[in-house]
Amino acid sequence: MIIRKATKNDMPSVLELIQELATFEKEPDAVVVTVADLIRDGFSENPLFQCFVAEVDGDPSQSEQAKQIIGMALYYYRYSTWKGKTIHLEDLIVKENKRGTGAGFALYKEIIKQGKAENVRRIEWNVLDWNTPAIDFYEKSGAKVLGDWRVVHMDDKGIERFLIED
């Protein structure tokens, strides 16, 4: 297995992983992003995200490609008024049938190495409160799961409603 930066050609596999994560998180119909969106947003002159993929040798008799992407970690840089440059890990996912292979740990470690290389003062991400295996893993790795902060977001419908009512 190798961990490497994603390329445009990896985006169909990345989208499959995003859809698998949405299903795992009980939101199978929530993904609206497309391969074209991922290519545009991740590989333009000013990319909105970066991505690492975990790649293994595949079975050449099963497809024309001898390599298979089994996991990904998608992240982007943010700026904290308290800390300065930070990384936000948006998603880290490994195919269900490839969990336990070390791919998730390798991707997690690569994100942390990236943060160190970029001199960020914080790496942050969200975890669902019912995902206790992930929470346990993060806490054992030295991360702090903050119980006193709430994630707030406004979706496209909320944005539209707000602007109409304003």
Side-chain angles (χ1 to χ4, degrees), residues 1 10-11 28 37-38 41 67 85 95-96 117 119 122 140 159:
M1 176 178 54
D10 298 326
M11 292 304 102
D37 293 332
L38 292 170
D41 296 339
K67 303 285 185 185
K85 186 177 183 179
K95 286 185 177 188
E96 186 174 10
N119 295 312
R122 180 172 66 208
K140 285 178 187 167
I159 293 167

Side-chain angles (χ1 to χ4, degrees), residues 136-166:
D136 292 344
F137 170 79
Y138 296 141
E139 289 178 335
K140 285 178 187 167
S141 77
K144 296 177 188 170
V145 178
L146 306 175
D148 53 347
W149 284 82
R150 301 287 178 138
V151 175
V152 179
H153 77 242
M154 184 180 289
D155 65 12
D156 55 343
K157 292 178 180 89
I159 293 167
E160 192 64 35
R161 258 192 320 273
F162 177 83
L163 293 174
I164 289 172
E165 294 171 4
D166 185 31

Side-chain angles (χ1 to χ4, degrees), residues 71-89:
M72 68 91 176
L74 190 143
Y75 67 99
Y76 53 90
Y77 293 93
R78 293 174 59 176
Y79 195 84
S80 164
T81 56
W82 290 13
K83 300 293 182 186
K85 186 177 183 179
T86 68
I87 283 178
H88 181 83
L89 174 58

Side-chain angles (χ1 to χ4, degrees), residues 20-82:
E20 185 170 331
L21 179 62
T23 299
F24 173 77
E25 292 184 350
K26 302 176 174 105
E27 294 277 346
D29 299 322
V31 177
V32 296
V33 73
T34 66
V35 170
D37 293 332
L38 292 170
I39 291 171
R40 179 195 66 226
D41 296 339
F43 299 91
S44 63
E45 186 175 325
N46 295 305
L48 299 176
F49 68 85
Q50 307 287 320
C51 187
F52 290 111
V53 293
E55 184 179 70
V56 296
D57 288 332
D59 180 354
S61 68
Q62 297 295 323
S63 76
E64 70 276 357
Q65 188 176 2
K67 303 285 185 185
Q68 178 187 17
I69 293 177
I70 63 165
M72 68 91 176
L74 190 143
Y75 67 99
Y76 53 90
Y77 293 93
R78 293 174 59 176
Y79 195 84
S80 164
T81 56
W82 290 13

